[in-house]
Amino acid sequence: TKPPYGHLTAIDLNKGEIAWHVPFGDDPRLRANPALAGVKLPERLGAAGAMGAIVTKGGLIFVGGGDSAFHAVDTSNGQELWSFPLSRRTTGTPMTYQASGKQFVVIASGSGRDATLTAFGF
């Protein structure tokens, strides 16, 4: 099966139509497969697995897509604005909270004894 293997899709609920649909996530291990040496691959392979996403009032989608990065995406067009590499695959839906006037976004990665939470403050 050809990539992309995962997508992020926005639906315009007022129109009942897809607003945008973009490949989402990547898999460096797949890219490193010797059988793919010399093969032109797309910029995003997409990451298989369930995505967990939250949408902010400020127009951002924070999402962990089962790859080993945490992403911020523009709600208006699906463009990735920022990503942060993690040492393990994301395994949960992001969480957000506010403390002392500062907004935080947290993502879980890994599993079992290797599970971690990584927080970002804005």
Side-chain angles (χ1 to χ4, degrees):
T1 306
K2 289 184 176 183
Y5 303 114
H7 292 90
L8 187 61
T9 304
I11 299 170
D12 182 329
L13 295 176
N14 294 317
K15 296 178 182 177
E17 301 172 351
I18 293 176
W20 48 260
H21 180 76
V22 296
F24 180 77
D26 206 35
D27 190 342
R29 294 173 301 160
L30 182 58
R31 287 187 179 280
N33 187 317
L36 296 175
V39 174
K40 182 171 172 40
L41 297 172
E43 182 181 337
R44 299 249 182 243
L45 291 175
M51 288 183 236
I54 57 172
V55 180
T56 69
K57 182 178 179 180
L60 295 175
I61 302 169
F62 286 103
V63 59
D67 64 354
S68 56
F70 188 46
H71 308 268
V73 175
D74 187 329
T75 59
S76 68
N77 57 19
Q79 178 183 355
E80 183 173 278
L81 302 172
W82 170 85
S83 72
F84 185 85
L86 298 167
S87 60
R88 299 165 185 87
R89 293 175 68 86
T90 57
T91 54
T93 299
M95 301 160 272
T96 186
Y97 64 94
Q98 208 170 26
S100 302
K102 192 171 184 177
Q103 188 74 35
F104 293 89
V105 179
V106 181
I107 187 71
S109 60
S111 62
R113 292 179 187 223
D114 290 329
T116 61
L117 291 174
T118 304
F120 301 88
F122 301 95

